[in-house]
Amino acid sequence: THPATAGKVPAGSGGGVAPAARWKPPADPLAGFGAALAALEGKLRAEQIGYLPHTPLSAARRPPAGSAEHITATWQRLHMALLRLPAHLREEWRVQARETAEAAGLAVTAEDASDPDVIVPGLPQGLRAAERIPLVVAAPRSAAMSVREEIHNKLGTSPDTLMDLPFADPRPMWAVRAEQALRLVDLDPELHVAVMVEDQPSSLASEEARLGYRQRLDSLLESAGSSQADDWPADSRLGAAHELDMVLGGLVHKRPAATDSWWWQWRTGVSEVLAPLAESAGYRLVPKAYSRWTMYDIDAYTVKNSVPGQSGEPLVQWVLWTPLQRKGGSAGNERKGRIVMRPQPQYG
């Protein structure tokens, strides 16, 4: 018998106690929302097989279905997967996710829905805070103020010294992008990374792998930071920065994200940190759009051990290591990059 009705006589009943079986507890809205999100995630992966493999999620925790932990994990996975889609498809699926939340009485705020920096919208009732990672960093020194202390230590900077750095110093932007990269590694259970030139990208699903990534990133942040603080020669500064680019921007998925996806824009932002350093050393970022690359471009601007991607996609599908071009067309290129490209049988 429900406590609210125990011993009470309903009006017009003629006396007696209302049967306990007539009382039904309200359906759990979280359980219904969890099921709806799971269905949406399954539909997304089935329809976007070109970007999202229809396989078990490598590091997804499996809390009890319908629990708050299950809902927030699914919500996060869903929105991280959307970052890999072409821009217009991402927006369509974000709308579906918002409508699913609204139907369960958990509406996404207008601010989260419209803020371009929100990659995972927040959920009300304390379920989840919004996750913001800006693609465009208009004021890197100000943004670097809130970067974790260990990143500043490796770069030889601090919040107190950022404003005193030379205008062209790349360390504030490195600090911001490094903070973002570490956050993305924690958020996305399906990320892989190319840590060394000779390696294939390896999964970051395990804590051991994520620790190895952080250690390698720390090492290269320290080297690149020293190149700036100690005023190394221009070519040496570029070399240290290029090595950092490989790990800082070498994050990739098993099926590479679309060329106009959020991820591609983020990777482009990492590459652009190299531009002034390349200029000072007689190099430049390869100006040709990757979607129009030919086998000649691959031979000229990349190392030979590139990674096979997916058939049916553009020849160059992802950038693991930013390709650079020596200015003036002179012979020799010591700053080649590395890419994910179409499998060999598909070469034109």
Side-chain angles (χ1 to χ4, degrees), residues 106-327:
L106 297 166
V108 173
T109 66
E111 179 185 1
D112 284 5
S114 60
D115 187 343
D117 295 340
V118 171
I119 60 170
V120 181
L123 289 173
Q125 302 180 17
L127 287 174
R128 198 195 195 290
E131 196 70 49
R132 287 175 170 82
I133 294 185
L135 282 174
V136 177
V137 184
R141 296 178 193 221
S142 297
M145 291 286 187
S146 59
V147 165
R148 66 191 74 183
E149 183 179 359
E150 54 264 37
I151 291 177
H152 280 300
N153 290 341
K154 296 301 179 183
L155 287 171
T157 59
S158 73
D160 295 333
T161 62
L162 285 169
M163 295 302 176
D164 298 327
L165 296 177
F167 177 77
D169 196 307
R171 283 179 287 177
M173 185 62 86
W174 281 334
V176 173
R177 293 304 187 192
E179 180 79 28
Q180 292 180 344
L182 291 175
R183 189 69 191 120
L184 289 164
V185 167
D186 287 339
L187 285 170
D188 194 339
E190 296 183 75
L191 273 178
H192 290 59
V193 65
V195 175
M196 300 293 288
V197 175
E198 62 269 25
D199 289 344
Q200 295 291 305
S202 55
S203 172
L204 287 169
S206 70
E207 181 56 40
E208 181 182 6
R210 292 192 293 274
L211 176 60
Y213 175 77
R214 289 193 294 270
Q215 291 173 336
R216 181 64 173 157
L217 179 58
D218 283 349
S219 173
L220 294 179
L221 285 170
E222 187 170 18
S223 179
S226 296
S227 76
Q228 297 297 313
D230 300 335
D231 198 23
W232 293 8
D235 193 65
S236 297
R237 290 200 305 271
L238 177 60
H242 204 203
E243 290 295 316
L244 175 59
D245 174 272
M246 177 66 168
V247 175
L248 184 59
L251 300 170
V252 70
H253 296 89
K254 196 73 171 179
R255 298 189 179 192
T259 53
D260 62 342
S261 64
W262 185 95
W263 266 107
W264 186 274
Q265 294 179 66
W266 191 84
R267 183 57 177 95
T268 300
V270 172
S271 293
E272 288 171 351
V273 184
L274 290 172
L277 294 165
E279 182 74 20
S280 66
Y283 282 84
R284 62 176 176 170
L285 278 64
V286 177
K288 191 172 185 178
Y290 293 117
S291 60
R292 298 199 298 271
W293 272 35
T294 65
M295 286 303 299
Y296 169 81
D297 298 313
I298 291 172
D299 290 339
Y301 305 129
T302 68
V303 295
K304 297 300 182 184
N305 56 339
S306 290
V307 179
Q310 302 294 312
S311 60
E313 296 297 314
L315 182 61
V316 177
Q317 298 178 10
W318 196 255
V319 181
L320 292 172
W321 197 17
T322 301
L324 303 178
Q325 176 188 61
R326 189 179 287 278
K327 293 170 67 177

